């Protein structure tokens, strides 16, 4: 005679003991994914850039509104300026002595930095009379910053005017330093920065800054009329 096996049933307390650790595990996975996603995303992009056998065309991800001009006036009316929006290329940046020749975008997220260098949206564009903060990758478009010297001339060409800035200093700061730039400055100045050390892949703890002052280019007028 065979004895029937009794099926094991979970009590409410047993279910709670099982559900609680599962819920905690799921919450931890979500938290860690959110915490490390930017790092993983950056490393994935870097890996794809150096190890992929296919050339990715990021140029389809942005609009180019840059049209070269010979405007050499001292001022330009704001009504004649097409102000750029995020991810639009509106100019070019050159430091001829240091082999820097790149597209200039408004915004400093993935699309601009994969195709050139980008102005931090919390700063200002050339001609505004304030601080211009430009970011670029250390192993691509801003690699040439490592050779920049005081007195070098930086050229920024836009559709509304051409600008020149003279390098006054270079400094290295921690990535989270608040001393590296001043967005409240009342005079036009250019600050370019990239990760440091140069040629190092991935996220670094320091940034290399290049400071320059405006020496020519039209001032945008009529902004507050």
């Amino acid at each position: 005679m065979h004895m029937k096996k009794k099926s094991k049933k979970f009590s409410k307390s047993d279910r709670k003991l099982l559900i609680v650790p599962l819920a905690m595990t799921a919450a931890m996975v979500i938290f860690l994914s959110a915490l490390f996603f930017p790092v993983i995303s950056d490393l994935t992009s870097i890996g794809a850039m150096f190890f992929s056998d296919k050339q990715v065309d990021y140029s389809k991800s942005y609009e180019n509104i840059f049209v070269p001009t010979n405007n050499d006036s001292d001022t330009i009316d704001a009504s004649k300026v097409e102000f750029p929006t995020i991810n639009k290329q509106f100019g070019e940046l050159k430091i001829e002595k240091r082999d820097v020749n790149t597209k200039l975008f408004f915004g400093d997220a993935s699309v601009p930095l994969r195709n050139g260098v980008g102005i931090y949206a919390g700063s200002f564009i050339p001609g505004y009379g304030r601080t211009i903060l430009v970011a670029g990758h250390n192993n691509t478009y801003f690699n040439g910053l490592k050779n920049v010297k005081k007195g070098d001339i930086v050229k920024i060409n836009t559709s509304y005017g051409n600008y020149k800035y003279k390098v006054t200093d270079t400094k290295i700061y921690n990535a989270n330093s608040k001393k590296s730039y001043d967005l409240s400055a009342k005079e036009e100045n250019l600050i370019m920065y990239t990760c440091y050390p140069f040629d190092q892949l991935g996220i670094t703890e320091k940034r290399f800054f290049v400071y320059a002052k405006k020496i020519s280019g039209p001032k945008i007028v009529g902004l507050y009329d």
Side-chain angles (χ1 to χ4, degrees):
M1 183 175 179
H2 295 284
M3 298 290 292
K4 291 184 179 180
K5 294 182 178 180
K6 293 183 179 180
S7 58
K8 186 177 180 180
K9 294 183 179 180
F10 289 100
S11 64
K12 289 184 178 180
S13 59
D14 289 333
R15 290 195 190 100
K16 288 182 180 180
L17 290 174
L18 181 62
I19 291 172
V20 170
L22 287 175
M24 292 181 64
T25 301
M28 184 61 69
V29 169
I30 294 171
F31 172 76
L32 292 175
S33 298
L35 181 64
F36 291 105
F37 177 78
V39 176
I40 295 171
S41 178
D42 285 343
L43 293 177
T44 302
S45 298
I46 292 169
M49 180 166 42
F50 284 95
F51 301 111
S52 175
D53 58 355
K54 293 183 179 180
Q55 183 68 34
V56 181
D57 184 11
Y58 291 111
S59 64
K60 297 178 181 178
S61 303
Y62 69 87
E63 180 183 354
N64 180 10
I65 63 171
F66 171 53
V67 179
T69 179
N70 293 321
N71 179 24
D72 58 357
S73 59
D74 293 330
T75 61
I76 183 170
D77 194 276
S79 63
K80 297 180 180 179
V81 176
E82 181 179 359
F83 288 88
T85 53
I86 294 295
N87 291 347
K88 284 189 178 181
Q89 181 197 350
F90 75 103
E92 59 185 9
L93 186 151
K94 300 180 180 180
I95 311 176
E96 293 171 350
K97 285 185 176 181
R98 309 306 171 191
D99 196 28
V100 174
N101 187 347
T102 179
K103 299 171 184 176
L104 178 65
F105 292 80
F106 188 72
D108 58 357
S110 57
V111 170
L113 299 191
R114 284 169 175 160
N115 294 281
V117 298
I119 291 180
Y120 168 56
S123 64
F124 301 85
I125 62 173
Y128 211 95
R130 305 289 288 275
T131 300
I132 307 161
L133 185 60
V134 184
H137 284 316
N138 60 343
N139 45 42
T140 56
Y141 301 101
F142 261 177
N143 186 262
L145 290 189
K146 62 187 177 185
N147 299 316
V148 166
K149 306 293 183 185
K150 290 183 181 179
D152 284 352
I153 301 299
V154 184
K155 296 180 180 179
I156 293 182
N157 299 324
T158 72
S159 300
Y160 55 88
N162 301 319
Y163 296 81
K164 290 183 180 180
Y165 303 84
K166 188 174 182 179
V167 174
T168 57
D169 204 359
T170 62
K171 289 184 181 294
I172 298 169
Y173 286 102
N174 289 328
N176 58 355
S177 173
K178 296 181 180 180
K179 299 179 181 179
S180 53
Y181 58 87
D182 179 12
L183 297 182
S184 65
K186 302 300 182 182
E187 58 183 5
E188 186 155 329
N189 66 102
L190 171 66
I191 304 174
M192 299 171 288
Y193 75 98
T194 190
C195 289
Y196 183 85
F198 286 93
D199 304 313
Q200 180 173 322
L201 298 179
I203 299 173
T204 63
E205 295 181 356
K206 295 184 180 296
R207 300 290 182 267
F208 183 85
F209 287 83
V210 175
Y211 300 88
K213 64 178 182 180
K214 179 185 173 185
I215 57 176
S216 68
K219 178 182 179 180
I220 300 174
V221 297
L223 287 170
Y224 308 107
D225 296 345

